[in-house]
Amino acid sequence: LKLAIIGQSLFGQEVYSNLRKQGHKVVGVFTVPDKDGKADPLAVAAEKDGTPVFKFPRWRVKGKPIPEVVDAYKSVGAELNVMPFCSQFIPMNVIDNPKHGSIIYHPSILPLHRGASAINWTLIQGDKKAGFSVFWADDGLDTGPILLQRECAVEPNDTVDTLYNRFLFPEGIKAMVNLAQPAEAIHNWIRGHDKVPGAWTVINGQSVTLYGSSMLGGSAAAGQPLEIEGASQPGIVTRNGLVLYGTDGKALVVKNLQFEDGKMIPASKYFSSGQSSSVELTDDEKKMAEEIRNTWKGILSNVSAIENTTDFFKSGAASMDVVRLVEEVKQKCAGVQLQNEDVYMATTFHDFIQMFVRRLRGEDQEEELVIDYATKDVNNMTVKMPSQCFINGGFEDAENSKTYDTINPTDGSVICKVSYASVGDVDRAVAAAKEAYENGPWGRMNPRDRGSLLYKLADLMEEHQEELATIESIDSGAVYTLALKTHVGMSIQTFRYFAGWCDKIQGKTIPINQARPNRNLTFTKKEPLGVCAIVIPWNYPLMMLAWKSAACLAAGNTLVLKPAQVTPLTALKFAELSVKAGIPKGVINILPGSGGMVGQRLSDHPDIRKLGFTGSTPIGKQIMKSCAVSNLKKVSLELGGKSPLIIFSDCDMDKAVRMGMSSVYFNKGENCIAAGRLFVEESIHDEYISRVVEEIKKMKIGDPLDRSTDHGPQNHKAHLDKLLEYCEIGLKEGATLVYGGKQVDRPGFFMEPTVFTDVEDHMFIAKEESFGPVMVVSKFKNGDVDGVLQRANDTEYGLASGVFTRDINKAMYVSERLEAGTVFVNTYNKTDVASPFGGFKQSGFGKDLGEDALMEYLKTKAVTVEY
């Protein structure tokens, strides 16, 4: 329907907003003129939406309609008039003009108390029931046919305000929450009324509005009990907020509470609000305070002087004034991040200035980070592991409260429960990243300051390296010594390397043809892309995070990262350290969960401008397709490999054996660039295999936290099962199993280091990657350099490759002809943060590490100036 809204106040604003949500078109809003320079809330909402607004002081003069006013009304072409809280006298030719007439909201149970002051008369007459009516307007005084009525009991101490706020605003718009129902129903009621207008309950005889509800996944943290009227059991005030219990015994957490005087506090501070000491202001801060005082004065024009005790809301401020205050302060004091709820939490001028100064100094940042740790005594330390989604600078349960178990591959035991992110969590994380990029301090920050924060983050990672390595070891099965040196050590190096790039991102000046008589200057700028998504694998959980995130952040982007479902813990610990480093809210977001849900939504999301992925080739293709179809995202893909390693007879045999084994068994074979196939020259083949087997027998398989362990468990059971199947296929196709091929007889997901020989080019294990500790060896004829090159390149993959020979000419000849993104000569696995890493063919495109990686997260803008 085409509707005209005739009315005023917050009531009118809510009716307007709800009708628009229901799909109706509001063609005109007719409300009262501005008062003291302030527009009515209904006018404010309509003007914001671009709806035509008319502010007539009156519709009639001496009982007769004003023609110009009536003509202006008729011009909008309404099919129905809706009149919520209309205090003006509206002519009948306006009421009857639409083809469906007019409906009116009236604050009594008609036919009782017609006319003005109906709520007052409800109380004056001592009615036991109050309510409202919606009826068709006619030419009588509230006498038209009734459309709908709702009623409520009048309580002994009710006033006009309590009746209005409790029930007449209108029923179902602002409503008391029924706590005698299951937790999810309570949660849905609170979140359905969140922000505006709020769901309320009674605590200690006082109406308290509840904001920011989320379901509680695990058990509640320790706290103080709080009696709440109508609740099935007392609530608990914890460091996370106010825990409420439903009749089903399940719980939810409320973040903020607002009292009848408008003051809002974090629910966690219920018992301690008002106890914080005041901070002394510096001279510069005093100057800012005076500027803010002037802002308050401009908004509260009816107040003669702004004192420290002046209350923003008691002085007449409304919700739009909150928005104005926040935006003016942010404009005058660049870099300070304020939200509307901050005003509700500091309603007096003194409290607001105290809050502002603390925010300016960054003193409240660490206090805001609440972590429900999973702790474990392991490796001679107590590790503290966050296990919730990390969104907008804080840890929180998944929207649906779902969790899953993350498993220790050493013995198959559960480490802890981890939040299982939903599509809604992805959308909230992306919104936070977008806000941080577009309006937060990250986008405005000096690049050198951004680099300082990344250096600080690297320092904190180094400070916590033993804890990070321990978490990595129990979550992924990495041998602790390797986790410390490579998984964590290279992650630290990566952040330090890219921190140094932050203030060295620059464009070029380009000479172009001059258009006489004018001159021209053309230059390029390198700019960040915006919100980036990063999806990483499970083999190097922290290092893969670092390889992509460090470049992304150094370029000035914000990110949403999905760790592998089976290895989320170091990513979440990293999120905690990022807060301690001072990385602003929303810049980094971490979402544990499934690739099919979280990864797919990231691929499809219209606000993401780049997706970096490391994983399998089939999934990479699916991601690339989704990114193209959604909004043509930039994509970089590091995918599968079947990296060839060619060992010539003139090699250093000791080194070729040692490095050849490392090329396969490093990190239990769970290595992107692992040598998937070894080509050994015929004259040394048997000796090479014999020496490899001899060395394998010396390897210690066992607990990855044991410093003497060489070979730990495979990452997870499904992968172990896949490796055992891989070996069975090799045997069936006729390859010779020289060693291993079986699961180790002990708890956990351990597999024997394995060697296959006599592998022919057509076999499955010659073509497909194992991603495990399986050496696949083929002979090649003595001196047949071009023949072995052809076999080595006969694959759809091209991630890495290697050659061992003492002949430098042969080494250079082979390295030039190997079709791979990385070629190792007389070494293997030697990656460095300054050297680009990435593949050819179906191993993907785009680079991690080095300057090339930085370019993956930047766009080039050309600017031409005529002067």
Side-chain angles (χ1 to χ4, degrees):
L1 287 171
K2 295 178 181 178
L3 306 178
I5 306 293
I6 306 174
Q8 64 197 77
S9 80
L10 286 171
F11 187 106
Q13 176 188 322
E14 287 300 321
V15 171
Y16 164 81
S17 299
N18 285 333
L19 289 171
R20 278 172 52 87
K21 285 178 185 176
Q22 292 167 16
H24 298 294
K25 181 176 177 60
V26 179
V27 293
V29 163
F30 299 84
T31 188
V32 294
D34 295 355
K35 184 178 180 182
D36 296 328
K38 294 182 188 176
D40 183 83
L42 172 58
V44 171
E47 287 169 344
K48 183 179 178 182
D49 295 331
T51 302
V53 176
F54 303 84
K55 302 176 182 179
F56 301 132
R58 62 187 63 83
W59 292 72
R60 301 186 298 184
V61 174
K62 296 181 180 179
K64 293 184 179 180
I66 303 172
E68 312 88 80
V69 173
V70 174
D71 290 344
Y73 160 77
K74 290 181 177 179
S75 69
V76 302
E79 297 170 334
L80 174 71
N81 292 333
V82 179
M83 302 167 66
F85 200 82
C86 179
S87 63
Q88 296 175 312
F89 290 99
I90 309 301
M92 285 307 300
N93 58 342
V94 170
I95 286 176
D96 292 336
N97 183 73
K99 67 178 181 179
H100 297 302
S102 303
I103 61 172
I104 297 179
Y105 289 66
H106 183 77
S108 77
I109 308 173
L110 292 174
L112 291 175
H113 312 309
R114 292 192 176 107
S117 305
I119 310 177
N120 304 66
W121 282 107
T122 297
L123 297 175
I124 293 168
Q125 294 289 336
D127 294 347
K128 300 301 182 185
K129 290 183 179 180
F132 68 84
S133 306
V134 179
F135 65 96
W136 290 112
D138 62 9
D139 58 358
L141 181 63
D142 303 332
T143 57
I146 302 295
L147 278 167
L148 175 147
Q149 289 186 320
R150 291 288 183 266
E151 63 181 41
C152 71
V154 177
E155 297 178 0
N157 296 316
D158 262 331
T159 64
V160 170
D161 283 346
T162 61
L163 267 180
Y164 182 75
N165 291 328
R166 188 175 84 246
F167 187 77
L168 299 175
F169 185 89
E171 188 219 7
I173 296 297
K174 184 165 186 177
M176 183 174 182
V177 60
N178 175 16
L179 297 176
Q181 55 182 334
E184 187 173 0
I186 298 171
H187 163 65
N188 288 339
W189 187 265
I190 295 171
R191 67 174 177 157
H193 294 83
D194 204 40
K195 299 301 180 191
V196 176
W200 62 277
T201 189
V202 177
I203 302 175
N204 288 331
Q206 186 179 16
S207 296
V208 179
T209 307
L210 313 174
Y211 293 108
S213 172
S214 61
M215 292 296 294
L216 183 65
S219 58
Q224 289 182 260
L226 179 63
E227 292 292 336
I228 301 172
E229 190 173 302
S232 58
Q233 64 185 84
I236 302 176
V237 176
T238 73
R239 66 176 185 271
N240 299 323
L242 172 60
V243 176
L244 301 176
Y245 291 93
T247 53
D248 55 357
K250 295 181 180 178
L252 59 137
V253 182
V254 173
K255 182 181 178 184
N256 295 322
L257 306 176
Q258 188 173 30
F259 299 97
E260 291 175 347
D261 62 0
K263 178 74 177 291
M264 183 183 283
I265 65 167
S268 60
K269 305 292 185 186
Y270 180 83
F271 288 111
S272 58
S273 63
Q275 294 179 8
S276 59
S277 58
S278 296
V279 296
E280 288 292 328
L281 274 58
T282 65
D283 290 342
D284 287 341
E285 289 165 350
K286 287 176 181 177
K287 291 177 183 176
M288 291 184 187
E290 287 308 307
E291 287 191 36
I292 295 172
R293 191 187 299 273
N294 290 333
T295 300
W296 277 53
K297 180 62 180 172
I299 295 171
L300 305 175
S301 55
N302 56 314
V303 178
S304 58
I306 304 298
E307 308 288 348
N308 283 345
T309 55
T310 300
D311 188 286
F312 194 65
F313 297 103
K314 290 179 180 178
S315 300
S319 56
M320 277 308 299
D321 299 315
V322 173
V323 176
R324 176 181 166 185
L325 175 60
V326 168
E327 294 306 316
E328 282 198 34
V329 172
K330 285 164 65 175
Q331 186 177 43
K332 290 179 179 178
C333 310
V336 175
Q337 287 302 295
L338 295 180
Q339 297 178 341
N340 292 354
E341 66 182 35
D342 292 327
V343 183
Y344 291 100
M345 291 186 179
T347 59
T348 67
F349 183 74
H350 173 268
D351 290 347
F352 185 84
I353 292 300
Q354 289 286 309
M355 176 276 297
F356 166 80
V357 170
R358 285 192 170 95
R359 189 67 52 85
L360 189 68
R361 296 177 182 179
E363 291 178 2
D364 59 349
Q365 289 184 357
E366 189 162 336
E367 183 185 351
E368 293 177 2
L369 184 64
V370 177
I371 306 176
D372 189 9
Y373 287 113
T375 60
K376 206 167 189 67
D377 293 323
V378 62
N379 200 26
N380 298 316
M381 69 179 77
T382 299
V383 294
K384 298 167 69 176
M385 299 168 286
S387 58
Q388 298 166 289
C389 300
F390 182 73
I391 300 173
N392 200 29
F395 289 99
E396 54 187 78
D397 291 337
E399 185 181 61
N400 53 20
S401 299
K402 285 184 68 175
T403 61
Y404 68 96
D405 295 334
T406 188
I407 304 298
N408 184 341
T410 301
D411 57 10
S413 64
V414 175
I415 302 170
C416 64
K417 289 191 176 296
V418 178
S419 289
Y420 189 81
S422 68
V423 168
D425 295 312
V426 176
D427 291 345
R428 288 189 300 114
V430 172
K434 185 179 181 184
E435 174 68 17
Y437 177 74
E438 294 179 351
N439 300 314
W442 189 251
R444 300 190 300 269
M445 192 176 292
N446 181 298
R448 199 160 295 166
D449 293 338
R450 189 164 64 237
S452 296
L453 289 179
L454 295 183
Y455 276 123
K456 187 175 180 181
L457 179 55
D459 291 344
L460 281 166
M461 292 169 70
E462 187 170 54
E463 185 181 323
H464 290 263
Q465 60 183 330
E466 289 85 1
E467 185 179 21
L468 286 166
T470 300
I471 296 171
E472 192 92 331
S473 189
I474 64 174
D475 202 26
S476 76
V479 171
Y480 176 76
T481 50
L482 177 66
L484 194 61
K485 178 182 182 297
T486 302
H487 288 234
V488 178
M490 193 173 188
S491 300
I492 296 166
Q493 291 175 26
T494 303
F495 270 96
R496 286 191 174 137
Y497 173 80
F498 283 107
W501 267 109
C502 288
D503 61 353
K504 302 170 187 69
I505 298 170
Q506 53 198 26
K508 302 173 181 177
T509 57
I510 302 170
I512 63 171
N513 288 341
Q514 307 293 344
R516 299 179 186 277
N518 298 316
R519 303 182 69 191
N520 298 280
L521 169 67
T522 293
F523 61 91
T524 61
K525 297 172 65 180
K526 296 289 186 182
E527 297 181 346
L529 300 171
V531 181
C532 298
I534 294 174
V535 181
I536 56 173
W538 43 258
N539 57 327
Y540 293 103
L542 186 63
M543 195 172 80
M544 291 295 98
L545 176 152
W547 280 22
K548 287 178 165 40
S549 298
C552 175
L553 295 170
N557 302 285
T558 58
L559 65 87
V560 180
L561 181 140
K562 192 200 89 65
Q565 184 172 343
V566 291
T567 53
L569 296 180
T570 43
L572 294 171
K573 188 68 180 180
F574 167 84
E576 177 192 349
L577 298 180
S578 75
V579 176
K580 292 182 177 180
I583 305 294
K585 288 182 178 182
V587 173
I588 295 171
N589 302 272
I590 311 282
L591 298 176
S594 75
M597 185 183 297
V598 176
Q600 186 61 52
R601 179 55 180 158
L602 290 172
S603 302
D604 294 334
H605 203 291
D607 290 332
I608 291 174
R609 293 298 167 191
K610 158 73 195 271
L611 191 147
F613 172 74
T614 295
S616 71
T617 297
I619 298 299
K621 290 179 177 179
Q622 182 180 334
I623 284 174
M624 188 175 175
K625 180 179 179 180
S626 297
C627 288
V629 169
S630 57
N631 62 339
L632 211 62
K633 293 174 182 64
K634 187 175 182 179
V635 178
S636 56
L637 304 171
E638 197 249 284
L639 307 176
K642 189 66 176 174
S643 302
L645 174 58
I646 303 172
I647 300 174
F648 289 101
S649 58
D650 60 353
C651 68
D652 177 332
M653 179 64 83
D654 290 343
K655 191 174 187 181
V657 169
R658 185 174 71 255
M659 300 303 296
M661 289 181 65
S662 174
S663 75
V664 176
Y665 303 127
F666 188 82
N667 200 46
K668 313 158 294 174
E670 296 167 354
N671 189 17
C672 304
I673 57 173
R677 193 174 181 194
L678 273 66
F679 294 93
V680 182
E681 199 160 5
E682 193 170 34
S683 61
I684 62 167
H685 175 272
D686 293 347
E687 179 190 358
Y688 185 85
I689 297 301
S690 175
R691 291 186 60 174
V692 165
V693 171
E694 183 181 333
E695 291 301 316
I696 289 176
K697 291 176 180 178
K698 299 175 185 176
M699 292 172 65
K700 180 180 177 180
I701 301 173
D703 184 351
L705 294 175
D706 184 334
R707 305 308 192 262
S708 63
T709 294
D710 298 301
H711 187 80
Q714 304 309 136
N715 188 278
H716 52 282
K717 188 176 186 304
H719 182 54
L720 172 64
D721 293 342
K722 183 179 176 183
L723 289 172
L724 296 173
E725 182 184 4
Y726 185 91
C727 292
E728 288 176 9
I729 293 172
L731 277 171
K732 286 178 182 177
E733 288 191 333
T736 301
L737 179 61
V738 176
Y739 193 90
K742 300 188 296 295
Q743 182 175 355
V744 179
D745 186 18
R746 58 168 291 160
F749 312 138
F750 292 83
M751 181 172 179
E752 297 173 333
T754 299
V755 179
F756 277 103
T757 60
D758 303 319
V759 178
E760 299 179 15
D761 294 351
H762 69 275
M763 292 181 177
F764 176 83
I765 62 173
K767 294 179 176 294
E768 296 300 323
E769 180 180 29
S770 72
F771 212 65
V774 182
M775 184 178 283
V776 176
V777 185
S778 300
K779 295 179 187 176
F780 68 93
K781 292 180 181 179
N782 294 331
D784 188 10
V785 177
D786 290 326
V788 74
L789 273 170
Q790 183 177 354
R791 294 172 70 190
N793 287 328
D794 186 20
T795 172
E796 275 300 301
Y797 301 108
L799 188 56
S801 59
V803 55
F804 279 83
T805 176
R806 286 191 173 95
D807 184 339
I808 189 62
N809 292 320
K810 187 191 297 181
M812 296 305 294
Y813 180 86
V814 170
S815 67
E816 287 174 4
R817 286 161 178 77
L818 282 170
E819 299 170 358
T822 298
V823 181
F824 297 108
V825 178
N826 294 327
T827 188
Y828 209 88
N829 285 327
K830 189 161 283 187
T831 53
D832 186 87
V833 295
S835 177
F837 180 96
F840 300 162
K841 300 188 284 190
Q842 292 199 49
S843 288
F845 51 82
K847 297 295 182 182
D848 290 327
L849 304 180
E851 184 181 1
D852 292 53
L854 200 63
M855 298 304 114
E856 297 290 336
Y857 294 92
L858 292 165
K859 60 191 176 189
T860 303
K861 176 184 287 183
V863 180
T864 298
V865 181
E866 184 177 276
Y867 63 98

